[in-house]
Amino acid sequence: MNNNKSISVQNLTKKFGDFTAVNSISFEVEKGEIFGFLGANGAGKTTAMKMLIGISKPTSGEAKVAGFDVYKETEKIKKNIGYMSQKFALYDDLTVRENARFYGGIFGLSRKQIKKKTDEFIAELGIEEIADNLVGSLPLGWKQKLAFSVSLIHEPKIVFLDEPTGGVDPITRRQFWEMIYKQADNGTTIFVTTHYMDEAEYCDRVSIMVEGKIEALDTPKNLRKQFNADSMNDVFLKLARG
Amino acid sequence: MKRFIGFIKKEIYHIFRDRRSLFILFGMPIAQILLFGFAVTNEINNVKIAVFDKANDIESQKLIQNISASTYFEVDKMIYDQKEIESIFKQGKIKAVLVFESDFAKKLTKESIANIQIITDATEPNTAMTINNYIGAILQKYQAGYNKTIQMPYQIKAETKMLYNPELKSVFMFVPGVMTIILMLVSAMMTSISITREKEIGTMEILLVSPLKPFQVILGKVFPYIFLSIINAIVILVMGFFIFGMPMQGGFLLLGLESVLFIVSALALGILISTISETQQTAMMISLMGLLLPVILLSGFIFPIASMPKALQFFSNIIPATWYIIILKGIMLKGVGIAVLWKETLILFGMTLFFIVLSIKKYKIRLE
């Protein structure tokens, strides 16, 4: 396997009884790439993602995440990835710093490291004055940015973002994508699922899943050309309608 | 280990920053024990009774005096007409009427049989029963004193002796019962709610994606509640002891160990509930209906198991609380040790093991 490959997947399959949720998908993600993982609800995105982050065992096929095998080395995978879901899972009854301390702690970071990383992202977001406020009192957009920062606290090689912009206003979404770009420039691989087709345009490459299979995979530009469409939205609709 | 401490610290923030859980954890035990200890009681005190003394002779007067001299009864009214009885009960203040037949003293001395009718207001069956028993006891005592002076042949005298709880104090059964309820509530309900809460807000997913192993996550969630449950048990015991004079005949060590065993079984149940419920509300409803109600109704805490129908007896036998209450009463009231309680302990242990295995299995299935 090439060392530049952050994720490599071959014929990965997951079956629940007779139902095949993920049907032999294959793809590779480069280091530092922003990889968009698209698909309608129920297309198998979440199931595929769960296998990659090590909380669901594949039925067959092969996959390596950060160079580790998804069957045997899930513990190592977990240490090297960050994960953020659409629920922006921070604890509402903990302050920003306490959240950071907790999540840093479960990744085994020292107090000093946590403090350093926390101060860094607090300065970056310019939220010094609310760092000791309970997260519950913050607006949704702030929670989302914080959740992203906290998911990066252990400096993971890959970050998995599961519909990270759900329910957030366009301006905040734009700001959020700037954070993503910055992180990708630092060499972190970004694996992101989204519902918003305009966001698909921000990705370096995009894969579109339909009924458990990857039906298209390329840069947004090439996909538009290939499907003779004006936007990613059109590409998606053409694919989804078959 | 450092991760574990961090986890517990977080749990403690959760508990102490939430007024509701604080109230359930620390307010409930105290409120419950006080309620059960003072308000819900089978004992009677200063019950108002009326007397219809048709005889009005020396013996009936003596008896009435004896009754009103006791702290249990207060002769509120003398009535002189049979018709008054009905209206008196309807007013509700008088709980019992004592009717002496005419020529009471004469019959007692001549025929050695004299009748007293005790009429009680049975709209409250338990109270009526207790009043009946108490008056009966006073009469018996009087009779015994009377018999000393006049020797009568051939009579059977039943001498009752109440062991372990001679004054029939209800608090003696409420303290073990409340302890069981509280431990169940704190251990099972609170843990199931706190685990489903993490599911609801999405943090459980993050924890599962983190390097923490699933069992570490569960252990971290459960551990603070073991600690809090033990504190609660101690608070209840101390209150029972100092406020209500609950005896402690047996060993503290055994009591402690058995309590930990029961707490662990309740925790396992809490984990089990959290695996089958998606929201905090569901977890709470299942805990209340599925755990708390059976503990109150079927564990023998309030209603004796022996007088339940067979089907209910079966249910009462399969809930851990039943066995824990037997163990508690054995240790606290009878002062017996493991030599006597080994069977109950073994059953409780078996149940605990079963629930642990089941909850681990369920938890794993959920992860898949």
Side-chain angles (χ1 to χ4, degrees):
Chain A
M1 190 181 102
N2 189 327
N3 269 348
N4 272 340
K5 298 282 180 273
S6 216
I7 303 172
S8 73
V9 177
Q10 263 124 42
N11 303 325
L12 196 66
T13 301
K14 176 83 186 185
K15 288 182 182 166
F16 297 104
D18 289 337
F19 175 67
T20 308
V22 175
N23 192 353
S24 188
I25 59 171
S26 304
F27 60 89
E28 284 182 333
V29 181
E30 306 275 329
K31 195 164 170 283
E33 191 179 7
I34 301 176
F35 189 80
F37 200 59
L38 274 57
N41 284 335
K45 284 180 305 195
T46 310
T47 313
M49 192 151 161
K50 276 190 176 164
M51 289 190 277
L52 296 181
I53 60 180
I55 56 173
S56 174
K57 272 224 174 344
T59 311
S60 63
E62 275 172 44
K64 284 197 169 179
V65 175
F68 300 112
D69 185 77
V70 291
Y71 290 96
K72 293 177 208 137
E73 296 171 304
T74 52
E75 294 310 309
K76 282 181 184 155
I77 290 176
K78 285 175 175 178
K79 278 190 186 129
N80 284 287
I81 60 168
Y83 174 72
M84 174 188 159
S85 78
Q86 52 188 333
K87 287 180 177 166
F88 319 141
L90 296 173
Y91 294 98
D92 276 350
D93 53 353
L94 263 56
T95 69
V96 175
R97 278 185 190 282
E98 283 163 355
N99 266 295
R101 215 175 294 149
F102 171 68
Y103 280 116
I106 62 176
F107 281 98
L109 269 58
S110 71
R111 262 174 173 275
K112 234 195 205 157
Q113 284 171 304
I114 295 171
K115 175 121 185 24
K116 187 172 150 274
K117 288 296 288 180
T118 311
D119 286 341
E120 265 173 38
F121 80 70
I122 285 174
E124 211 168 300
L125 293 171
I127 52 163
E128 287 85 353
E129 69 278 11
I130 57 160
D132 290 312
N133 288 13
L134 295 184
V135 168
S137 66
L138 304 178
L140 198 64
W142 279 115
K143 285 189 197 173
Q144 177 213 29
K145 287 181 211 164
L146 280 170
F148 184 57
S149 304
V150 169
S151 74
L152 295 170
I153 198 160
H154 55 296
E155 299 180 342
K157 294 194 178 104
I158 309 167
V159 186
F160 288 85
L161 304 171
D162 190 7
E163 291 176 18
T165 52
V168 188
D169 66 83
I171 298 169
T172 315
R173 263 168 61 198
R174 181 71 233 180
Q175 291 171 340
F176 185 70
W177 273 91
E178 274 160 24
M179 288 176 79
I180 292 181
Y181 275 125
K182 206 168 154 197
Q183 205 53 44
D185 284 344
N186 290 342
T188 310
T189 307
I190 312 280
F191 185 98
V192 56
T193 73
T194 180
H195 271 328
Y196 298 103
M197 286 307 138
D198 58 325
E199 287 186 349
E201 310 270 1
Y202 304 152
C203 299
D204 293 330
R205 277 193 311 146
V206 170
S207 82
I208 301 180
M209 265 186 102
V210 180
E211 286 169 5
K213 285 184 181 158
I214 291 185
E215 293 290 346
L217 199 168
D218 212 328
T219 61
K221 201 176 146 197
N222 287 344
L223 282 178
R224 282 199 305 270
K225 212 186 281 169
Q226 185 189 335
F227 286 88
N228 195 16
D230 295 333
S231 66
M232 278 306 293
N233 204 20
D234 287 343
V235 173
F236 188 75
L237 286 177
K238 278 183 180 169
L239 257 177
R241 281 177 191 154
Chain B
M1 197 58 208
K2 220 176 69 191
R3 287 181 196 178
F4 193 62
I5 290 169
F7 205 109
I8 287 177
K9 219 162 140 190
K10 180 211 87 169
E11 281 312 308
I12 289 170
Y13 283 140
H14 288 328
I15 294 165
F16 282 88
R17 283 178 187 172
D18 181 22
R19 275 199 204 136
R20 263 188 317 173
S21 45
L22 264 187
F23 174 74
I24 294 181
L25 284 176
F26 299 106
M28 279 289 247
I30 295 172
Q32 281 220 20
I33 197 104
L34 289 178
L35 267 177
F36 276 116
F38 285 121
V40 190
T41 164
N42 287 339
E43 296 154 46
I44 55 169
N45 261 320
N46 294 326
V47 170
K48 292 188 167 48
I49 62 169
V51 176
F52 181 18
D53 188 0
K54 293 184 197 167
N56 204 7
D57 51 34
I58 178 155
E59 293 301 337
S60 72
Q61 290 296 327
K62 260 200 230 164
L63 246 174
I64 293 167
Q65 238 169 34
N66 274 5
I67 288 170
S68 59
S70 79
T71 54
Y72 310 121
F73 301 106
E74 189 182 310
V75 178
D76 191 64
K77 208 173 173 192
M78 300 297 292
I79 53 181
Y80 304 99
D81 192 348
Q82 189 82 30
K83 284 176 195 147
E84 267 183 277
I85 295 175
E86 183 88 27
S87 67
I88 247 179
F89 276 126
K90 280 187 177 154
Q91 285 164 22
K93 197 173 72 176
I94 303 286
K95 297 293 173 205
V97 174
L98 227 56
V99 185
F100 290 87
E101 66 175 338
S102 38
D103 298 327
F104 184 76
K106 211 166 97 189
K107 281 190 176 161
L108 195 62
T109 43
K110 296 266 166 66
E111 299 164 30
S112 50
I113 284 177
N115 289 314
I116 300 173
Q117 191 182 18
I118 307 167
I119 309 170
T120 44
D121 178 358
T123 45
E124 294 161 45
N126 282 338
T127 318
M129 203 57 147
T130 319
I131 291 173
N132 229 340
N133 290 341
Y134 278 49
I135 293 180
I138 295 173
L139 293 180
Q140 211 177 33
K141 216 167 161 191
Y142 176 81
Q143 209 182 342
Y146 185 79
N147 287 344
K148 256 183 213 155
T149 49
I150 303 163
Q151 209 42 256
M152 275 195 300
Y154 315 122
Q155 59 171 338
I156 298 165
K157 238 166 67 186
E159 197 176 294
T160 49
K161 194 171 173 191
M162 299 290 185
L163 282 179
Y164 310 122
N165 187 2
E167 289 159 78
L168 296 179
K169 281 195 176 167
S170 46
V171 72
F172 288 5
M173 76 190 240
F174 286 133
V175 169
V178 169
M179 194 147 140
T180 311
I181 290 183
I182 294 293
L183 293 185
M184 203 45 143
L185 197 72
V186 171
S187 310
M189 188 166 102
M190 295 303 279
T191 40
S192 69
I193 290 178
S194 106
I195 294 173
T196 36
R197 181 169 169 267
E198 300 247 8
K199 278 208 240 172
E200 225 176 296
I201 60 176
T203 44
M204 189 52 96
E205 228 178 325
I206 310 269
L207 294 178
L208 293 179
V209 179
S210 80
L212 286 178
K213 293 191 175 64
F215 83 89
Q216 289 175 314
V217 173
I218 293 301
L219 218 61
K221 299 250 16 141
V222 153
F223 192 80
Y225 289 101
I226 297 183
F227 189 68
L228 288 170
S229 301
I230 292 173
I231 291 181
N232 265 324
I234 293 171
V235 168
I236 294 168
L237 284 179
V238 167
M239 280 179 71
F241 187 77
F242 285 106
I243 301 179
F244 299 110
M246 182 82 191
M248 183 60 206
Q249 306 284 356
F252 279 103
L253 183 68
L254 183 64
L255 186 80
L257 290 176
E258 299 274 10
S259 298
V260 170
L261 185 61
F262 179 65
I263 289 169
V264 173
S265 83
L267 287 172
L269 278 169
I271 297 168
L272 199 63
I273 290 172
S274 74
T275 59
I276 56 173
S277 41
E278 285 304 320
T279 64
Q280 295 177 68
Q281 259 90 356
T282 323
M284 196 164 104
M285 283 317 289
I286 297 178
S287 307
L288 285 176
M289 304 301 278
L291 297 182
L292 223 53
L293 267 184
V295 169
I296 294 174
L297 299 177
L298 299 178
S299 67
F301 162 30
I302 296 178
F303 306 110
I305 297 168
S307 47
M308 291 175 193
K310 277 276 175 290
L312 283 184
Q313 283 193 21
F314 170 77
F315 279 110
S316 120
N317 278 330
I318 59 170
I319 56 176
T322 306
W323 305 99
Y324 181 58
I325 287 183
I326 296 176
I327 291 170
L328 276 185
K329 283 185 178 165
I331 298 174
M332 293 165 92
L333 299 178
K334 299 184 191 164
V336 292
I338 192 74
V340 175
L341 295 171
W342 64 270
K343 201 181 99 198
E344 286 81 2
T345 308
L346 210 63
I347 292 172
L348 193 59
F349 186 78
M351 286 178 169
T352 309
L353 212 63
F354 175 75
F355 290 135
I356 290 176
V357 170
L358 196 65
S359 63
I360 289 174
K361 271 225 163 110
K362 271 268 179 196
Y363 191 74
K364 275 202 176 137
I365 289 168
R366 211 188 67 78
L367 274 180
E368 271 307 301

